[in-house]
């Protein structure tokens, strides 16, 4: 009647509703046409070690495991956003061999951190195949933490780049990122592994990828290694909530890789592949058992640890 596309109007209404929910740190329910028994993939933080997520995605795609939702924290947000935008695991794997710290960070002097990640804007825009959450092929949640209140902030609409930057704003290293008046830092503080946001999105089964491991086997080299190890300790001490929200936890063997070990991307991808292949029998059971009541009964999550796996 007005000459305005109904589909466009609906998208605008959903975006306005989501905007209000984001200001309070909430996640919306998925659209009614999403699969009832959808599998959600939670990608945890871990800086360069997060390249292991590429191996996880690679195996899931090769084995035709349908992923209905993805939530990412820190590097998990970056890789999750790229994948949801249409970047293939093969492209991510190739991209990871070229990326270095200098591509998304610039050293600076500030009382809030040692580096700015504003350079990441161009980096992300060159990587992502779309610019907004609404254009993604898979629904995505990106986590961050309100620096003033400590509250979790979960983004799932609007522009992609800044929420991912905020999720990657490692405290002490990167300056906080201001979005809509809120000063935001790394999502690892609020959601080390974002399995809870996936439940809120409607996922009936949650596969959580935890990048557990020491940052260095030779002791800390500098302040950033100290901060990283403190994060690893804090994650272990406060892991009950995200583990309870997961059906299966997989832990790629990233032990000993430093926070900036980008030159070891091939090994990190392989670590993700190995542990995901070991988890395939359990994941396939979810597909075989899927019913309208799928996932109603909660149980303690299983865990796959590569240390117990046979060598290739």
């Amino acid at each position: 009647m007005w000459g305005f596309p109904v589909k466009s109007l609906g998208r605008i209404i959903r975006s306005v509703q989501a905007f209000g929910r984001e200001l309070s740190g909430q996640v919306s329910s998925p659209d009614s046409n999403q699969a009832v028994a959808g599998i959600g993939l939670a990608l945890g933080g871990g800086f360069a070690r997060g390249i292991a997520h590429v191996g996880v995605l690679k195996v899931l795609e090769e084995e035709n495991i349908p992923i209905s939702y993805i939530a990412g924290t820190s590097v998990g947000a970056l890789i999750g956003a790229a994948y949801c935008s249409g970047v293939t695991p093969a492209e991510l794997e190739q991209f990871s061999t070229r990326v270095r710290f200098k591509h998304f960070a610039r050293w600076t002097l500030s009382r809030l951190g040692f580096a700015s990640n504003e350079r990441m804007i161009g980096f992300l825009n060159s990587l992502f195949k779309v610019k907004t959450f609404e254009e993604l092929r898979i629904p995505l949640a990106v986590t961050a933490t309100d620096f003033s209140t400590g509250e979790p902030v979960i983004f799932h609409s609007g522009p992609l780049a800044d929420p991912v930057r905020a999720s990657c704003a490692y405290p002490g290293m990167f300056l906080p990122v201001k979005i809509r008046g809120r000063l935001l830092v790394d999502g690892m503080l609020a959601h080390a592994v974002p399995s809870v946001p996936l439940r809120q999105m409607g996922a009936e089964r949650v596969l959580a990828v935890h990048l557990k491991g020491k940052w260095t086997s030779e002791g800390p080299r500098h302040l950033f290694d100290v901060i990283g190890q403190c994060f690893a300790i804090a994650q272990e001490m406060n892991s009950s909530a995200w583990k309870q929200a997961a059906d299966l936890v997989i832990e790629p063997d990233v032990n000993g890789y430093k926070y900036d070990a980008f030159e070891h991307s091939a090994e990190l991808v392989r670590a993700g592949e190995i542990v995901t292949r070991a988890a395939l029998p359990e994941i396939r059971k979810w597909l075989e058992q899927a019913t309208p009541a799928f996932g109603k009964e909660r149980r303690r999550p299983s865990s796959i640890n590569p240390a117990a796996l046979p060598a290739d």
Side-chain angles (χ1 to χ4, degrees), residues 4 22 49 60 94 105 126 140 143-144 176-177 180 193 228 230 238 243 245 247 255 260 262 271 284 295:
F4 191 80
E22 282 173 6
R49 298 182 303 173
L60 293 176
Q94 184 178 29
S126 68
L140 172 72
T143 71
V177 175
R180 298 171 189 167
V193 181
C230 289
N238 298 281
K243 284 186 176 179
D247 292 285
N255 197 40
D260 55 352
F262 296 103
R284 288 198 176 101

Side-chain angles (χ1 to χ4, degrees), residues 4 12 25-26 74 76 104 120 124 164 167 186 269 286:
F4 191 80
I12 291 172
Q26 299 297 312
S74 198
F104 51 83
M120 187 178 283
L124 295 177
V164 172
S167 190
D186 202 306
V269 170
W286 299 348

Side-chain angles (χ1 to χ4, degrees), residues 3 12 69-70 107 112 120 177 183 198 215 221 234-235 237 243 256 299:
I12 291 172
Y69 312 93
I70 291 179
W107 296 111
L112 299 178
M120 187 178 283
V177 175
L183 206 58
L198 287 172
W215 285 84
R221 299 168 298 166
Q235 285 182 55
M237 298 299 291
K243 284 186 176 179
R299 56 184 178 81

